[in-house]
Amino acid sequence: MQRLRRLLMAFVIVTGMLYLALCALAFAAQRALIYPAPHAEPAMLRDQPGFGVVPLADGLNVDRFYVPAPPGAPTVVHFHGNGEQLLGQRGFGQALGDAGLGFLAVEYPGYGASPGSPTEAGLYSSAEAALQFLREQGVKPEDIVLSGRSLGTGVAVEMARRGYGARMVLVSPYTSMVAMGQRTLPFLPASLLMRDRYLSVEKAPHIPIPVLIIHGEEDEVVPVDMGRTLGQRFPKARVVTVPGAHHNDVLERDGQEEFARLATFALDGT
């Protein structure tokens, strides 16, 4: 009996140590999982029309892609997903430009050809620098439509919380990165381990602008229920779910022209 107790105690200790080691590994590796940053050579974008840089407060620059709006038209400020980069936003921006809108996308630190390392604070700094650039171009606050896709929805929500934008479009949004961590690794205490939290669900009730949420009904990465939950938290929100669409094809199925129409008209009920 004494031997059995010792064996049981040893098992509990070893299991506990392994669990703590797993927690430490998850804490250390989480940013590599959240930000699988694609890279690009500077020459691929910095000498091309529409591309340029915006300065950050720490002295670094991040890249941006800008399509000026026609007089009186809104400008969509878009924050891309975690597996995307600025170079891949050019087609989206040109499509919205063809639809009569302006477009601005900014790179995240450590993504594409931009220096630095991605963090929640770093992404917010990049986003705010882009919005400052837009202000310098003479774009009025009431003409700004914030837009985010997947990871970028958390950035868009924070910018709206800070008072930017007259309306917002969120594509495949999550409620928080903590909730995503709990979904991905349910056996770990994500609420204690997550360094970058993106608490959109807590910020939503304090954001008064109209919000449109677009979510694929077959989204295998961010469940559509997260989009619906967020839609209930914003004071003014409309949720559009796309039958048959997954995480990476929801805009492609519904069409970027439809995105432009919804961004500029459907939010205010017209």
Side-chain angles (χ1 to χ4, degrees):
M1 191 68 178
Q2 194 72 14
R3 183 170 179 272
L4 181 60
R5 285 201 189 97
R6 286 198 298 268
L7 287 174
L8 182 60
M9 182 62 68
F11 174 78
V12 170
I13 292 173
V14 170
T15 302
M17 291 177 65
L18 289 173
Y19 184 76
L20 289 175
L22 186 59
C23 289
L25 178 62
F27 182 81
Q30 62 183 271
R31 281 182 172 152
L33 298 174
I34 296 172
Y35 310 109
H39 295 287
E41 293 298 324
M44 296 176 65
L45 50 87
R46 291 187 180 163
D47 294 328
Q48 298 189 44
F51 287 94
V53 298
V54 291
L56 302 182
D58 57 9
L60 297 176
N61 293 327
V62 289
D63 294 289
R64 52 87 179 157
F65 176 70
Y66 180 49
V67 177
T75 296
V76 174
V77 182
H78 184 67
F79 308 110
H80 64 68
N82 74 333
E84 300 179 294
Q85 60 174 305
L86 182 66
L87 196 62
Q89 310 311 305
R90 177 169 49 183
F92 185 34
Q94 290 172 339
L96 294 184
D98 292 343
L101 302 177
F103 181 82
L104 173 64
V106 66
E107 193 55 284
Y108 304 144
Y111 272 71
S114 295
S117 299
T119 64
E120 182 176 7
L123 267 61
Y124 293 161
S125 176
S126 181
E128 216 160 16
L131 288 159
Q132 174 61 34
F133 164 81
L134 205 59
R135 186 183 301 117
E136 293 168 357
Q137 306 310 303
V139 178
K140 298 176 182 178
E142 60 267 28
D143 290 332
I144 293 175
V145 180
L146 298 172
S147 168
R149 185 168 189 170
S150 193
L151 172 68
T153 63
V155 182
V157 168
E158 175 61 18
M159 293 303 103
R161 187 194 70 80
R162 296 184 185 187
Y164 294 102
R167 58 186 67 180
M168 181 163 58
V169 183
L170 304 176
V171 182
S172 307
Y174 50 95
T175 52
S176 72
M177 197 57 69
V178 174
M180 288 299 297
Q182 291 170 337
R183 168 180 163 78
T184 305
L185 299 171
F187 48 88
L188 295 180
S191 61
L192 299 177
L193 296 176
M194 296 302 298
R195 301 163 75 181
D196 295 346
R197 306 176 76 83
Y198 296 99
L199 300 173
S200 295
V201 72
E202 295 184 10
K203 300 170 186 177
H206 310 290
I207 294 174
I209 63 175
V211 179
L212 173 68
I213 293 172
I214 304 172
H215 215 124
E217 293 184 2
E218 305 301 325
D219 193 321
E220 69 284 1
V221 178
V222 182
V224 66
D225 284 348
M226 283 196 176
R228 293 186 177 120
T229 297
L230 272 180
Q232 295 171 352
R233 298 283 288 174
F234 288 105
K236 300 176 184 177
R238 176 185 172 195
V239 179
V240 175
T241 63
V242 183
H246 298 265
H247 189 69
N248 292 320
D249 66 356
V250 60
L251 276 187
E252 289 69 18
R253 279 175 175 265
D254 208 39
Q256 293 173 357
E257 290 184 5
E258 181 68 1
F259 175 99
R261 184 186 70 80
L262 292 171
T264 53
F265 299 110
L267 288 174
D268 55 14
T270 59

